[in-house]
């Protein structure tokens, strides 16, 4: 038997990295030996010169010298192992956004691990499941806004889906002035300094002001330098839309076509046809469209008044003229997919029937007379702990008392969007939800993944300015 296992591991590990593998592979942080194929990736986090296709070169913070970082693409059930080498001048971590993995691998400094110091290494290892569209990013301060993010795609083990071609699109916000995205973001609130001592905030001088973004790139390129998505008439096209932006929510439409939403935050939904789609920070939407309207079209965002830096993705049929692509129009009677229209496809294994073990109310506030953003009036790390017990069915009821939308993200779990109008087992399963200004939102999750989990607004500038707390298992 030993020989069989050794042969198996030899093939499973694949080319590239030679490792001495003992009889049982036991990761220092995992209680169980890894099973199934292991997929290894080597990431070095370092500063590197990048160019978004327009504007000057600038120094971004990168994985392997590129923005976005390399795509991780594996099959469901495989084990992902990432060797991270930190060549940055600051400590860093990687968070695997949306994946309900073992707590110690979740990559939140001070919550699940000590951040990796400059010059040091760390090995992340976790099971790739479930299948779906995810992303990874640094969870240290403003590093995500400096370029430290990338796509993470888990393909289904069996049913690959019914499409002919797929594209992964990272929708990124950048600051173009002052030579790029990094230096220009270093504006601090004048209110920040005085409050530092009182609040005990770690960041010297208080949190940074949200920059004014003026470049919206896709996979590291600004229009018109983005390669058009080539399609052939008759094909079914799948787009994996991922929003790793630091503070931008996009409202999108593809000219000449309707989109069918098939997955949100990695989870399958009943196919929903729509003209317009809104994607919050940290959210993912898988959409499909039938290539049945030949021409040269744009998939664009509505916001920002159509300026130079607007988000635009050209979609070009083979054989069409490469002239000016046709932009979408956002007027008229359009279908606009909202959360309430979505129906989850995964049955709830133990539907609550109205029984909730624990409920928390979270008031989201800040931004008006303070540089800080708060949950129930508190600034992380001086924040609440939402204490749950394993097996609990937990409700979180948000109310957004501020003038900004807050895409709230819970680590380590999927939650359902509570919708009293439909049966609970069709409530859509997500990990990030936009709570709009002066609106409420309620989520429910089962406490089935022990640990201490970060829970926060995914607007990076709100998160670092305090809008975060933890869900802790008793
Ligand atoms: Cu926020």
């Amino acid at each position: 038997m030993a020989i069989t296992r050794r042969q198996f591991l030899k093939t499973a590990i694949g080319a590239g990295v030679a490792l001495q593998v003992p009889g049982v592979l036991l990761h220092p942080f995992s209680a169980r030996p890894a099973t199934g194929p292991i997929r290894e990736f080597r990431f070095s986090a370092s500063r590197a010169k990048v160019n978004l296709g327009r504007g000057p070169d600038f120094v971004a913070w990168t994985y392997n010298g590129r923005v976005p970082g390399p795509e991780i693409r594996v099959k469901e059930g495989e084990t992902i192992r990432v060797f991270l080498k930190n060549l940055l001048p600051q400590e860093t971590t990687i968070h695997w956004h949306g994946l309900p993995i073992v707590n110690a691998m979740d990559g939140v400094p001070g919550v699940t691990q000590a951040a990796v110091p400059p010059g040091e290494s760390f090995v992340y290892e976790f099971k790739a499941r479930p299948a779906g569209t995810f992303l990874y990013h640094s969870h240290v301060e403003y590093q995500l806004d400096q370029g430290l993010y990338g796509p993470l795609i888990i393909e289904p083990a069996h049913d690959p889906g019914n499409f002919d071609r797929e594209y992964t699109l990272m929708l990124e916000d950048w600051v173009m002035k002052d030579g790029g995205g990094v230096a220009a973001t270093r504006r601090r609130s004048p209110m920040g300094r005085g409050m530092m001592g009182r609040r005990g905030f770690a960041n010297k001088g208080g949190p940074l002001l949200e920059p004014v973004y003026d470049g919206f790139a896709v996979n590291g390129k600004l229009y018109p330098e983005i390669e058009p998505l080539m399609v052939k008439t008759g094909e079914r096209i799948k787009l994996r839309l991922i929003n790793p932006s630091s503070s931008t929510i996009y409202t999108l439409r593809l000219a000449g076509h309707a989109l069918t939403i098939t997955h949100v935050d990695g989870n399958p939904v009943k196919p929903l046809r729509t003209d317009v789609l809104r994607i919050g920070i940290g959210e993912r939407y898988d959409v499909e469209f039938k290539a049945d309207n030949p021409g040269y079209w744009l998939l664009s965002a509505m916001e920002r008044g159509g300026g130079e830096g607007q988000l635009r993705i050209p979609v070009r049929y083979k054989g069409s003229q490469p002239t000016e692509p046709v932009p979408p129009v956002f007027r008229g009677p359009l279908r606009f997919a909202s959360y309430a229209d979505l129906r989850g496809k995964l049955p709830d294994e133990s539907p609550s029937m109205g029984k909730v073990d624990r409920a928390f109310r979270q008031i989201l506030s800040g931004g008006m007379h303070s540089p800080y953003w708060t949950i129930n009036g508190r600034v992380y790390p001086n924040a609440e702990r939402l204490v749950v017990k394993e097996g609990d069915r937990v409700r979180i009821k948000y109310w957004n008392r501020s003038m900004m939308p807050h895409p709230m993200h819970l680590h380590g779990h999927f939650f359902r969007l509570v919708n009293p109008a439909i049966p609970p087992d069709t409530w859509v399963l997500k990990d990030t939800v936009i709570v709009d200004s002066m609106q409420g939102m309620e989520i429910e999750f089962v406490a089935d993944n022990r640990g201490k989990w970060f829970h926060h607004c995914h607007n990076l500038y709100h998160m670092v300015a305090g809008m975060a707390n933890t869900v802790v298992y008793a």
Side-chain angles (χ1 to χ4, degrees), residues 210 281 364-365 373 400 402 404-408 435 456-463 467:
E210 238 170 285
I281 303 154
L364 313 175
S365 192
W373 291 88
N400 181 354
S402 77
M404 297 267 299
H406 300 294
M408 299 302 296
V435 187
H456 63 98
C457 176
H458 220 282
N459 178 313
L460 189 66
Y461 289 79
H462 299 179
M463 181 195 83
M467 193 174 260

Side-chain angles (χ1 to χ4, degrees), residues 114-362:
V116 186
E120 303 282 305
S121 298
F122 191 85
V123 184
Y124 289 97
E125 182 176 317
F126 51 91
K127 259 282 190 253
R129 70 170 169 235
T133 304
F134 299 92
L135 65 151
Y136 62 85
H137 61 80
S138 163
H139 223 297
V140 173
E141 291 237 320
Y142 301 101
Q143 291 181 2
L144 188 156
D145 203 19
Q146 292 167 297
L148 288 170
Y149 51 80
L152 197 173
I153 310 300
I154 304 178
E155 295 178 341
H158 305 293
D159 179 15
N162 180 27
F163 51 87
D164 304 298
R165 203 184 283 267
E166 72 166 278
Y167 292 100
T168 299
L169 304 170
M170 303 285 282
L171 317 177
E172 313 162 57
D173 54 6
W174 290 94
V175 180
M176 295 298 294
K177 64 175 183 194
D178 300 340
V182 184
T185 64
R186 300 272 130 194
R187 298 188 305 139
R188 289 187 194 282
S189 164
M191 290 182 288
R193 289 168 214 284
M195 310 210 30
M196 191 189 100
R198 190 158 71 80
R199 299 280 193 174
F201 197 78
N203 183 10
K204 274 201 204 77
L208 295 179
L209 283 181
E210 238 170 285
V212 178
Y213 294 95
D214 55 358
F216 298 92
V218 177
N219 299 342
K221 288 284 176 260
L222 290 160
Y223 182 81
E225 297 310 314
I226 306 165
E227 284 285 311
L229 312 182
M230 295 303 295
V231 305
K232 268 196 242 164
T233 304
E235 280 182 337
R236 194 155 186 81
I237 311 296
K238 177 184 177 78
L239 306 178
R240 295 177 186 269
L241 303 167
I242 304 176
N243 185 354
S245 286
S246 293
S247 97
T248 307
I249 295 172
Y250 302 94
T251 300
L252 301 171
R253 183 174 186 207
L254 171 58
H257 301 75
L259 299 171
T260 300
I261 299 169
T262 63
H263 298 72
V264 296
D265 294 356
N267 294 301
V269 294
K270 197 165 151 257
L272 176 68
R273 263 171 85 82
T274 189
D275 298 305
V276 183
L277 171 75
R278 185 174 182 232
I279 180 168
I281 303 154
E283 288 189 303
R284 291 88 63 210
Y285 280 83
D286 290 13
V287 299
E288 294 181 6
F289 67 92
K290 184 87 192 283
D292 57 4
N293 193 4
Y296 193 19
W297 307 98
L298 282 178
L299 170 60
S300 306
M302 182 166 69
E303 289 97 336
R304 314 283 162 179
E308 270 281 283
Q310 200 199 0
L311 187 89
R312 291 188 181 95
I313 305 156
V315 175
R316 198 178 143 201
Y317 281 69
K318 279 211 167 110
S320 68
Q321 290 304 310
T323 50
E324 278 292 290
V326 178
V329 177
F330 286 92
R331 291 185 304 275
L334 298 174
R335 286 164 296 189
F336 189 115
S338 76
Y339 289 145
D341 301 323
L342 294 165
R343 298 287 176 273
K345 247 170 90 174
L346 296 174
D348 194 338
E349 275 143 26
S350 49
S352 66
M353 317 299 260
K355 183 186 152 291
V356 174
D357 302 296
R358 229 161 274 264
F360 300 97
R361 195 168 163 75
Q362 304 273 275

Side-chain angles (χ1 to χ4, degrees), residues 1-40:
M1 293 313 281
I3 290 165
T4 318
R5 186 203 282 142
R6 194 171 304 130
Q7 283 171 336
F8 169 72
L9 286 171
K10 224 168 166 178
T11 24
I13 286 173
V17 190
L19 275 188
Q20 291 303 312
V21 181
V24 175
L25 252 170
L26 194 61
H27 190 276
F29 291 104
S30 87
R32 296 178 298 272
T35 54
I38 296 166
R39 299 285 307 279
E40 301 197 320

